[in-house]
Amino acid sequence: MAIQLEQIKTNLAYEITTRRKALGISQEKLALEADVDRTYVSQLEREIANPSLSTLCRIANVLQCEVTELLTHPSP
C-alpha cells in the first residue's frame, strides 16, 4: 500500500508541475485560482503534501483536466 501511495504522490507532483508549466502559470497563480496557499502547491510538487479531494478538484479545474488525470498518469 505504501508503494502505491508513493507512486500516486509522484504522479500527482509530476502532473501538477507539467500541466502548470504547459499553461504558463506560476505556483502562485495556481494557488490563488485554486484557493490554496502557494507553499502548499510547492509541497504538492515536491511530494510532501497529501491533498484533500476538494483541493484536488480545485487544482484540476485550474489545470483544465480531470482529477483522475492528475493521479493515474505515469511519471517519466
Side-chain angles (χ1 to χ4, degrees):
M1 181 69 164
I3 294 172
Q4 185 179 11
L5 176 60
E6 291 306 311
Q7 186 61 54
I8 291 170
K9 286 171 69 175
T10 298
N11 292 348
L12 179 63
Y14 175 78
E15 290 297 327
I16 289 174
T17 304
T18 301
R19 291 170 184 275
R20 177 180 62 75
K21 288 180 178 180
L23 291 170
I25 61 175
S26 65
Q27 287 182 343
E28 185 172 6
K29 182 170 177 159
L30 173 58
L32 279 169
E33 292 186 18
D35 194 31
V36 296
D37 192 85
R38 190 216 46 87
T39 59
Y40 191 68
V41 172
S42 175
Q43 290 174 352
L44 289 171
E45 291 186 358
R46 290 181 290 130
E47 303 177 34
I48 296 171
N50 290 313
S52 68
L53 184 55
S54 62
T55 299
L56 276 179
C57 288
R58 291 192 312 270
I59 289 171
N61 186 51
V62 174
L63 296 176
Q64 303 170 9
C65 66
E66 299 294 325
V67 170
T68 55
E69 294 176 89
L70 295 178
L71 302 174
T72 58
H73 285 200
S75 59

